[in-house]
Amino acid sequence: SRLNKTIRDVNAALDQYRFDQASSHLYQFIWHEYCDWYLELIKPALQNKDSGEAARTRQTLVETFETVQRLLHPFMPFISEEIWQTLPHHGESIVTQPYPAASPDWDAQTIESEFSVLAQFIATTRTGRALLNYPPGKSMTVYGVFLTKPVDATEVLRSLDHMGKATTHILPIFQWPDRNLLKLVAEGLTIGVLVEGDVDLRKALERIKKQREDNTKEASRIEGKLDNAEFTAKAPPEVVAEHKQRVQVLRQEQEMLASSERQLQGMIQ
């Protein structure tokens, strides 16, 4: 479904001769969707090579990757041809193949919405890891609750444990531990990271304060640009929208950092 959207966006940009936008759509999808999320999420499914799930995953992996090469071909012709020749394909050259077109059958808005919540959970878990300075390889204990719970609970837990490097418990908040728990609230969910081991809470507080200062400076800088009538008049609408979205994200991060600071101060006292 995300690939389908990218195909639409790339074709729309090419129709307007916006080659910069078309290449940007491809970059964002390949790097931030395909590599950051999809390739990481399918690793557990591929471990049992003889399973039906692994076979289906490999098929989807190859089909999407081949489609990506055809999307990329106008921008990276020699590299995409070289890669395409190593994949299962029809025809002698990628040059003679049809350029990808979006298919309504690939759209899955409900699944995309559910995945967005899952991705938010994993990102928030990683934020908790960073705030407490847990090493990347250290498994954490995480509690979570979804306002809108994804359908397949087993798949969700497997993805959370794999991507978040954590043992995850999806439970109502009243069943969470009432001590040594850093609670982080994000859109559509709340998570709690158990503070255990040799976490230095005072150093964690210092990192949070430093990050809040940096966020404040960055938000003020962007808001200064948005308040500049000359900038908003000359900048493309999408650039102005990106700046506004960035300020909103920074403000949300500020709220989370402020809450984390109060919680850790309470643990120290």
Side-chain angles (χ1 to χ4, degrees), residues 121-140 142 163-166 182 184 191 193-195 199-211 253 256-257 260 264:
F121 193 110
I122 294 170
T124 307
T125 299
R126 290 172 173 172
T127 297
R129 177 183 293 278
L131 292 177
L132 297 173
N133 201 32
Y134 277 131
K138 177 179 174 57
S139 179
M140 304 186 303
V142 175
M163 293 286 285
K165 298 292 188 297
L182 176 62
L184 303 173
I191 75 163
V193 180
L194 192 63
V195 181
V199 174
D200 191 326
L201 295 180
R202 296 191 184 278
K203 285 189 176 180
L205 272 174
E206 291 175 5
R207 284 191 297 273
I208 290 173
K209 289 178 180 178
K210 176 65 167 59
Q211 190 169 341
E253 289 179 359
M256 182 181 292
L257 290 169
S260 300
L264 293 183

Side-chain angles (χ1 to χ4, degrees), residues 40-74:
E40 290 299 321
L41 282 169
I42 65 174
K43 286 179 179 179
L46 295 174
Q47 288 179 351
N48 185 359
K49 297 181 179 180
D50 297 327
S51 69
E53 183 182 16
R56 291 191 298 271
T57 302
R58 286 194 297 269
Q59 181 67 24
T60 301
L61 178 63
V62 171
E63 288 182 0
T64 54
F65 195 57
E66 190 273 339
T67 303
V68 166
Q69 300 316 304
R70 286 187 283 125
L71 275 174
L72 271 175
H73 189 62

Side-chain angles (χ1 to χ4, degrees), residues 158-174:
R158 184 174 71 169
S159 299
L160 291 175
D161 292 347
H162 170 62
M163 293 286 285
K165 298 292 188 297
T167 300
T168 308
H169 306 278
I170 306 299
L171 296 170
I173 292 180
F174 68 84

Side-chain angles (χ1 to χ4, degrees), residues 10-226:
V10 170
N11 277 284
L14 291 177
D15 286 343
Q16 298 172 20
Y17 302 99
R18 291 302 305 269
F19 306 115
D20 58 327
Q21 291 183 3
S23 59
S24 178
H25 290 312
L26 279 166
Y27 174 85
Q28 294 298 324
F29 171 76
I30 294 170
W31 190 249
H32 296 298
E33 297 278 356
Y34 202 75
C35 294
D36 278 359
W37 289 106
Y38 178 64
L39 294 183
E40 290 299 321
L41 282 169
I42 65 174
K43 286 179 179 179
L46 295 174
Q47 288 179 351
N48 185 359
K49 297 181 179 180
D50 297 327
S51 69
E53 183 182 16
R56 291 191 298 271
T57 302
R58 286 194 297 269
Q59 181 67 24
T60 301
L61 178 63
V62 171
E63 288 182 0
T64 54
F65 195 57
E66 190 273 339
T67 303
V68 166
Q69 300 316 304
R70 286 187 283 125
L71 275 174
L72 271 175
H73 189 62
F75 307 92
M76 302 169 64
F78 300 105
I79 294 176
S80 55
E81 177 75 57
E82 185 77 15
I83 295 173
W84 188 81
Q85 290 293 341
T86 70
L87 301 172
H89 61 267
H90 300 286
E92 295 183 2
S93 172
I94 193 174
V95 177
T96 63
Q97 304 310 303
Y99 200 65
S103 170
D105 294 338
W106 284 10
D107 289 328
Q109 294 303 317
T110 299
I111 293 175
E112 283 207 46
S113 297
E114 292 171 355
F115 177 78
S116 293
V117 177
L118 173 61
Q120 181 67 65
F121 193 110
I122 294 170
T124 307
T125 299
R126 290 172 173 172
T127 297
R129 177 183 293 278
L131 292 177
L132 297 173
N133 201 32
Y134 277 131
K138 177 179 174 57
S139 179
M140 304 186 303
T141 301
V142 175
Y143 295 84
V145 60
F146 297 97
L147 296 182
T148 303
K149 190 173 182 180
V151 176
D152 190 340
T154 302
E155 181 64 27
V156 166
L157 286 172
R158 184 174 71 169
S159 299
L160 291 175
D161 292 347
H162 170 62
M163 293 286 285
K165 298 292 188 297
T167 300
T168 308
H169 306 278
I170 306 299
L171 296 170
I173 292 180
F174 68 84
Q175 295 184 20
W176 295 7
D178 55 6
R179 296 181 58 191
N180 297 332
L181 198 69
L182 176 62
K183 294 181 181 178
L184 303 173
V185 179
E187 186 176 352
L189 57 90
T190 301
I191 75 163
V193 180
L194 192 63
V195 181
E196 53 187 345
D198 55 353
V199 174
D200 191 326
L201 295 180
R202 296 191 184 278
K203 285 189 176 180
L205 272 174
E206 291 175 5
R207 284 191 297 273
I208 290 173
K209 289 178 180 178
K210 176 65 167 59
Q211 190 169 341
R212 284 187 66 189
E213 292 173 0
D214 293 342
N215 278 22
T216 299
K217 291 178 182 177
E218 179 66 5
S220 297
R221 184 187 68 81
I222 298 174
E223 285 175 335
K225 293 179 68 175
L226 291 172

